[in-house]
């Protein structure tokens, strides 16, 4: 009987093979990462010092990199609740843009073309959201962070490309809990990095593009995100307040029942904006100042009721922050853009209506009908067909729960199924409402790739909400139905509708980098590492290969 292979036989036959097989075992690295590291060593040589401290020193040298438009990495000073300050590193937008144009000729050429077609200032869109790297089930996840990206609205149909959204900051939520004013203060500080002395986007930035100097003038005109992120930036209450919409002065929640006391008020379930009295940035500031003056004169309970009535949560220093942003032309009413993906497909209008529709149809064959379909490889390969969602929904009730990508696949499939129903059943209001909802999603989906008429957006949304109101008269009102009504006016104002599909894809990169770091302690080393990784990804891997015209 053989004693088995000897210890030496179990080892690779050569030392180079042992590098390939064993070097990444003690500290995990994927095979693709190992190959990339070895190729880099082959090209650039082996560093003299090999330790974590050496990596940190090399990182710090990169953090100190400079450009004609300032350092690539700068610090913002945050005022803490305990009265002290804390410095947090972020990427300098002006310097990063200069470096991107210098390194990636395709990006610079694309930007130069957009500048030449712009007759005035280019429009900057700023996006923010909370991202959760690491284990989402962990009770205390120190890696949870707020990410900020920015791009130019002038890129229009190309805004779906991740490489056109530049990174500006990632700051952990655990740090923001210590900051006076939380996200609102960080948001203000990040906005002001676009208006720093000598590097103010409004007065022109000289960019080096393919050997020529091009002057870029731009200003922030759009803040895009889901409702939770926008609420955090401006500290309005949203759906949890009596006044749920920051862009309307006379829209109240259905639960308040205030519309019965005054003919000038309307609720979030109203399927049009005919009664809407638009809010503006100056009125918002006046409300914040009024809350600030009333706080010393009221009990905590009385003041909380006043905040709820105004639809604003007053934070320390908020009046000064809002006023300083208004001086830059940035306010919650003039720059806000709701992300239609979250409005419709993330616990949104589509999710609630599909749940009610399935309760109405009660067809046990629907899940089987969908499962028998053959989906395109691009959909099936990413496991976003949504088939399992309908199977799970068969024994549940209420709003349907699925990812936005699954919803985007399912909405067309469900419309196809409803088209097979008998003519009399297709005339039911519930079915007609879904057909109208599908038309809205058709237009919004098209807006990802081409300019759509704002009137078409508004008309389709109002038509659907009107039918929906009659089809489900006893249903629970969904505040996002009202937010949807603003998509048409926002499309007209900004000349484009942003959706967060591209940002969700960018979140995967941040999650990968933040989740791989083993030390998420109280220092700002975590932020510095994430920013440095994002900088290298932006600068050294940008190819622009799938942008229109490249």
């Amino acid at each position: 009987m053989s004693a088995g292979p000897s210890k030496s036989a179990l080892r690779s036959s050569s030392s180079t093979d042992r590098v390939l097989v064993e070097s990444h075992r003690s500290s995990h690295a994927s095979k693709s990462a190992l190959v990339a590291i070895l190729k880099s060593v082959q090209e650039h040589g082996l560093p003299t010092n090999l330790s974590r401290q050496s990596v940190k020193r090399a990182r710090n040298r990169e953090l100190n990199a400079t450009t004609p438009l300032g350092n690539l990495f700068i610090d913002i000073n945050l005022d803490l609740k305990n009265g002290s300050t804390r410095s947090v590193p972020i990427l300098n937008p002006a310097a990063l843009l200069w470096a991107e144009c210098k390194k990636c000729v395709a990006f610079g050429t694309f930007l130069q073309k957009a500048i030449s077609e712009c007759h005035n200032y280019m429009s900057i869109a700023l996006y923010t959201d909370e991202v959760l790297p690491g284990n989402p089930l962990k009770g205390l996840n120190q890696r949870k962070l707020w990410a900020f990206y920015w791009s130019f609205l002038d890129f229009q149909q190309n805004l779906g490309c991740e490489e056109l959204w530049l990174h500006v900051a990632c700051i952990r939520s655990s740090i923001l809990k210590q900051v006076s004013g939380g996200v609102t203060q960080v948001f203000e500080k990040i906005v002001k990095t676009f208006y720093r002395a000598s590097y103010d986007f409004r007065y022109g930035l000289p960019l080096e593009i393919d050997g020529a100097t091009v002057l870029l003038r731009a200003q922030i005109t759009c803040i895009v995100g889901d409702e939770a992120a926008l609420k955090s930036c401006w500290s309005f209450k949203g759906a949890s307040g009596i006044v749920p919409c920051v862009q309307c002065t006379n829209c109240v929640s259905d639960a308040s029942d205030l519309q019965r006391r005054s003919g000038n008020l309307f609720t979030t379930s109203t399927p049009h904006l005919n009664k809407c009295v638009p809010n503006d940035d100056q009125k918002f500031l006046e409300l914040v100042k009024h809350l600030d003056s009333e706080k010393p004169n009221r009990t905590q309970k009385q003041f909380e009721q006043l905040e709820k009535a105004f639809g604003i949560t007053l934070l320390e220093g908020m009046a000064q922050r809002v006023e300083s942003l208004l001086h830059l032309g940035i306010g919650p009413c003039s720059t806000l853009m709701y992300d239609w993906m979250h409005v419709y497909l993330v616990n949104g209008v589509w999710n609630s209506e599909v749940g009610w529709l399935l309760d109405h149809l009660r067809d046990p064959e629907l899940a089987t009908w969908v499962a028998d379909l053959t989906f395109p490889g691009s959909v099936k390969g990413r496991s976003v067909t949504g088939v399992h969602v309908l199977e799970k929904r068969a024994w549940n009730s209420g709003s349907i729960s699925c990812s936005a990508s699954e919803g985007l696949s399912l909405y067309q499939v469900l419309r196809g199924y409803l088209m097979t129903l008998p003519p009399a059943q297709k005339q039911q209001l519930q079915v007609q409402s879904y057909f109208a909802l599908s038309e809205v999603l058709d237009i919004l989906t098209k807006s990802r790739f081409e300019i759509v008429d704002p009137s078409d957006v508004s008309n389709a949304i109002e038509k659907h909400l009107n039918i929906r109101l009659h089809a489900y008269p006893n249903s629970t009102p969904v505040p996002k139905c009202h937010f949807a009504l603003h998509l048409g006016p926002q499309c007209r104002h900004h000349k484009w509708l942003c959706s967060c599909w591209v940002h969700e894809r960018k979140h995967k990169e941040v999650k990968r980098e933040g989740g791989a770091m083993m030390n998420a302690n109280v220092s700002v080393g975590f932020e510095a590492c994430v920013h440095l990784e994002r900088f290298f990804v932006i600068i050294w891997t940008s190819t622009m290969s799938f942008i229109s015209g490249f």
Side-chain angles (χ1 to χ4, degrees):
M1 181 176 177
S2 173
S6 65
K7 185 175 181 181
S8 59
L10 290 174
R11 291 180 176 175
S12 303
S13 57
S14 68
S15 59
T16 54
D17 284 347
R18 290 185 63 188
V19 171
L20 296 173
V21 175
E22 299 179 7
S23 61
H24 63 305
R25 297 300 179 194
S26 58
S27 295
H28 174 73
S30 67
K31 292 179 176 60
S32 297
L34 177 62
V35 170
I37 293 169
L38 292 175
K39 284 183 176 179
S40 179
V41 170
Q42 185 181 49
E43 180 181 355
H44 302 289
L46 186 68
T48 305
N49 300 314
L50 302 175
S51 66
R52 288 185 60 184
Q53 289 72 22
S54 301
V55 174
K56 181 178 180 180
R57 286 193 294 270
R59 183 197 73 194
N60 290 339
R61 286 193 292 271
E62 292 292 343
L63 287 173
N64 293 328
T66 59
T67 73
L69 299 183
N71 293 336
L72 277 169
F73 297 88
I74 58 177
D75 289 337
I76 56 173
N77 295 318
L78 302 177
D79 299 321
L80 304 184
K81 294 177 181 177
N82 61 9
S84 63
T85 60
R86 179 168 186 168
S87 295
V88 176
I90 67 169
L91 279 162
N92 179 357
L96 178 61
L97 187 62
W98 185 92
E100 174 78 343
C101 292
K102 178 73 173 177
K103 169 62 183 175
C104 182
V105 176
F107 177 87
T109 305
F110 184 78
L111 178 60
Q112 186 177 16
K113 181 182 177 183
I115 294 172
S116 65
E117 294 174 352
C118 179
H119 302 296
N120 203 339
Y121 293 93
M122 291 188 68
S123 298
I124 297 174
L126 182 63
Y127 167 87
T128 184
D129 196 9
E130 192 171 32
V131 185
L132 182 57
N135 182 5
L137 300 179
K138 192 174 181 180
L140 181 61
N141 192 331
Q142 297 288 356
R143 291 176 174 80
K144 185 185 295 186
L145 51 83
W146 279 82
F148 293 81
Y149 315 128
W150 66 280
S151 187
F152 296 101
L153 284 179
D154 308 77
F155 292 157
Q156 296 186 339
Q157 68 267 25
N158 291 301
L159 283 171
C161 169
E162 296 100 305
E163 294 179 341
L164 288 178
W165 285 90
L166 303 181
H167 184 86
V168 60
C170 276
I171 304 176
R172 280 168 296 166
S173 301
S174 58
I175 292 179
L176 295 186
K177 289 179 181 178
Q178 306 170 22
V179 174
S180 175
V183 178
T184 60
Q185 184 188 158
V186 175
F187 171 68
E188 178 209 11
K189 296 289 177 67
I190 288 176
V191 165
K192 288 184 175 180
T193 60
F194 291 85
Y195 302 96
R196 298 169 67 223
S198 303
Y199 310 114
D200 193 322
F201 277 70
R202 295 171 298 177
Y203 304 143
L205 299 178
L207 304 174
E208 186 176 335
I209 300 176
D210 199 18
T213 300
V214 178
L215 189 67
L216 165 76
R217 293 195 306 164
Q219 57 186 2
I220 297 176
T221 61
C222 177
I223 311 297
V224 63
D226 61 18
E227 187 210 6
L230 295 172
K231 282 165 51 177
S232 298
C233 289
W234 293 106
S235 195
F236 56 82
K237 287 188 174 293
S240 62
I242 293 176
V243 181
C245 179
V246 72
Q247 294 190 308
C248 299
T249 60
N250 60 331
C251 176
V252 296
S253 65
D254 289 80
S256 69
D257 209 31
L258 290 174
Q259 75 280 3
R260 299 181 184 274
R261 307 178 191 178
S262 172
N264 295 325
L265 302 178
F266 70 101
T267 67
T268 53
S269 60
T270 305
H272 53 74
L273 293 177
N274 297 344
K275 281 188 174 183
C276 171
V277 177
N279 198 3
D280 60 47
D281 299 331
Q282 196 60 42
K283 289 179 182 176
F284 182 83
L285 176 60
E286 290 172 2
L287 289 177
V288 173
K289 286 184 174 181
H290 182 70
L291 282 173
D292 203 21
S293 65
E294 285 293 319
K295 188 172 183 178
N297 305 324
R298 295 176 181 254
T299 64
Q300 182 176 349
K301 185 175 181 180
Q302 289 173 336
F303 187 71
E304 288 174 355
Q305 291 174 341
L306 187 63
E307 286 181 315
K308 193 173 182 181
F310 282 8
I312 298 172
T313 300
L314 184 70
L315 300 175
E316 188 175 350
M318 184 176 169
Q320 292 80 5
R321 282 193 288 273
V322 172
E323 191 165 21
S324 67
L325 289 175
L326 290 189
H327 286 316
L328 298 174
I330 301 166
C333 304
S334 59
T335 62
L336 182 142
M337 181 186 288
Y338 289 117
D339 159 44
W340 69 260
M341 180 191 83
H342 281 85
V343 169
Y344 275 91
L345 297 170
V346 181
N347 296 322
V349 179
W350 179 85
N351 303 79
S352 59
E353 180 152 340
V354 171
W356 300 337
L357 177 65
L358 296 181
D359 288 340
H360 169 74
L361 294 175
R362 296 191 178 279
D363 188 345
E365 303 299 324
L366 173 58
T368 304
W369 187 88
V370 174
D372 290 339
L373 296 176
T374 301
F375 288 85
S378 60
V379 175
K380 189 175 181 180
R382 293 185 295 121
S383 301
V384 291
T385 62
V387 173
H388 69 283
V389 174
L390 293 178
E391 294 173 349
K392 184 171 64 175
R393 179 57 174 68
W395 56 82
N396 290 329
S397 60
S399 179
I400 194 167
S401 178
C402 65
S403 70
S405 297
E406 290 172 330
L408 200 64
S409 301
L410 275 178
Y411 98 83
Q412 302 179 66
V413 171
L414 288 177
R415 176 169 53 184
Y417 171 77
L418 295 177
M419 293 296 293
T420 66
L421 296 178
Q425 197 171 0
K426 283 196 288 187
Q427 294 304 313
Q428 294 176 353
L429 279 177
Q430 291 84 355
V431 178
Q432 289 298 309
S433 177
Y434 189 81
F435 286 152
L437 172 58
S438 298
E439 291 175 10
V440 173
L441 290 174
D442 287 342
I443 295 173
L444 294 177
T445 302
K446 186 171 68 172
S447 73
R448 296 165 62 193
F449 311 106
E450 60 183 77
I451 297 175
V452 296
D453 188 336
S455 298
D456 291 343
V457 177
S458 294
N459 293 338
I461 291 173
E462 289 186 13
K463 174 188 174 183
H464 162 245
L465 294 181
N466 188 55
I467 301 175
R468 172 183 168 122
L469 187 63
H470 290 87
Y472 306 100
N474 299 320
S475 61
T476 303
V478 179
K480 286 187 177 181
C481 288
H482 176 79
F483 301 152
L485 289 170
H486 286 285
L487 292 176
Q490 288 170 4
C491 181
R492 183 175 292 105
H493 178 66
H494 296 290
K495 299 182 177 58
W496 190 255
L497 277 179
C498 286
S499 65
C500 290
W501 302 96
V502 59
H503 308 114
E504 295 297 329
R505 294 195 296 272
K506 285 190 74 69
H507 288 345
K508 292 180 181 179
E509 301 169 0
V510 175
K511 289 177 181 179
R512 181 178 63 247
E513 290 148 10
M517 295 180 193
M518 304 307 293
N519 188 5
N521 58 24
V522 295
S523 74
V524 294
F526 184 92
E527 281 74 17
C529 287
V530 172
H531 293 153
L532 188 61
E533 291 300 323
R534 296 306 314 130
F535 165 68
F536 284 139
V537 168
I538 293 169
I539 296 300
W540 299 110
T541 66
S542 181
T543 61
M544 303 286 290
S545 57
F546 44 91
I547 295 295
S548 298
F550 287 87

